[in-house]
Amino acid sequence: MISRIFLSSSFYGRAGKGITRAMEANGGWNVEVLLPEHDVRCMAAAHDGSGRVFAGTQSGLILRSEDCGQTWEPSGTAGEAVKSLAVSPHDSRVAYAGTRPAGVHRTLDAGATWQELEGFQRIPGRRFWFSPAEPPFAAYVQAISISPSDPAVILAGIEFGAVVRSEDGGHTWSGHRKGAIRDCHSLTFHPRDGAWAYEAGASWSAGAVSRDGGRTWQQPKAGLDRRYGWACAADPAQPEIWYVSASTGPGRAHSWSDARAFIFRSVAGAPWEKLAGGLPQPLDYLPYTLLPDPHAPGHLYAGLTNGDIWLTMDRGDNWEKLPVNLKGIWGRLVMIQGR
């Protein structure tokens, strides 16, 4: 069973502020709110067990913790708002922050200093990026992911904009990658195989997959009856097994209690399957996040907007609801593997 779960709860709970932390202890769960004075929009944790965690806020402030979120300190500012964060799986001192207006900042010293990667401002076609999600409707970087095979290869997804790629640590960037979904909602490399990358978004398909490190993408459609994808994930042992959560459109997806959503699974290119096995059919609350356990192949957590967390231990065939509620999940679940 998971020992520590963090998530951004900036859109719901405690007046939309802070981070909700759930910790399993003595057969039960302790739930508390951290950073209640901050409008937290995203989080990322180190993969090396160091306990390092970053949190990005709507005000542009980045916060850092070195003890799994027990204590926090300011770690610089970036943009008008920090919308996405990623810690390098190769070196936990290296992290990237995606911002609004659309930009990327990087730290090489565990957050002591941050520097904007100016090459991101020279991406072809960026003048056409536009976000209808919130005023002032400026485009922003919704997702960042770093290849597990090459620390210099980075993907960035812009909501209602593009999916772009860097091969030199973010100094230069490509234009929109062929076949990827322009309205990107989530984006991730496979945790072990850098040839595979995954996206959820809104297009003719709810998901897209790359088998060449994010250079080119395909949008499989067979079996999907929903095209508004939000979260994506892959099995850590079998990259050909991956998942998306999807609804019928933005109105339903972000509604309260009428999302009409499903979690879909793709296996080795076969048509998408709707997952049931104990899950409500359809889900009234959108799975805002899908979180695989890198140490337990087949395990996948789904965090719903009402705060419920569901778990499958057999790659989606059967599900159980955990006995804890986080009072609203409007951001990404982050698993802390540290002390």
Side-chain angles (χ1 to χ4, degrees), residues 8-20:
S8 166
S9 59
S10 56
F11 295 106
Y12 182 79
R14 287 300 180 105
K17 297 294 182 74
I19 299 163
T20 302

Side-chain angles (χ1 to χ4, degrees), residues 3-4 6 42-55 63-69 72 85-96 107 109-111 114 146 191 291-295 333-339:
S3 60
R4 293 181 177 91
F6 285 74
C42 55
M43 293 187 68
H47 305 266
D48 59 2
S50 64
R52 180 170 298 130
V53 191
F54 293 98
L63 298 156
R64 179 183 64 186
S65 173
E66 295 290 332
D67 55 11
C68 294
W72 296 84
L85 286 161
V87 179
S88 172
H90 308 276
D91 184 348
S92 67
R93 297 169 298 176
V94 178
Y96 296 82
T107 180
D109 52 17
W114 293 81
I146 303 156
L291 176 67
D293 185 337
H295 303 292
L333 283 173
V334 178
M335 187 182 302
I336 307 298
Q337 299 290 345
R339 52 190 178 274

Side-chain angles (χ1 to χ4, degrees), residues 95-161:
Y96 296 82
T99 65
R100 185 194 71 199
V104 174
H105 293 65
R106 182 181 65 184
T107 180
L108 301 176
D109 52 17
T113 60
W114 293 81
Q115 181 180 20
E116 183 176 7
L117 298 174
E118 296 180 355
F120 200 84
Q121 302 303 318
R122 296 189 287 273
I123 293 175
R126 64 168 288 138
R127 68 183 182 277
F128 298 110
W129 300 349
F130 163 80
S131 175
E134 61 183 63
F137 307 113
Y140 53 83
V141 179
Q142 172 77 359
I144 301 175
S145 189
I146 303 156
S147 168
S149 305
D150 186 343
V153 175
I154 308 163
L155 294 173
I158 297 88
E159 186 168 18
F160 225 77

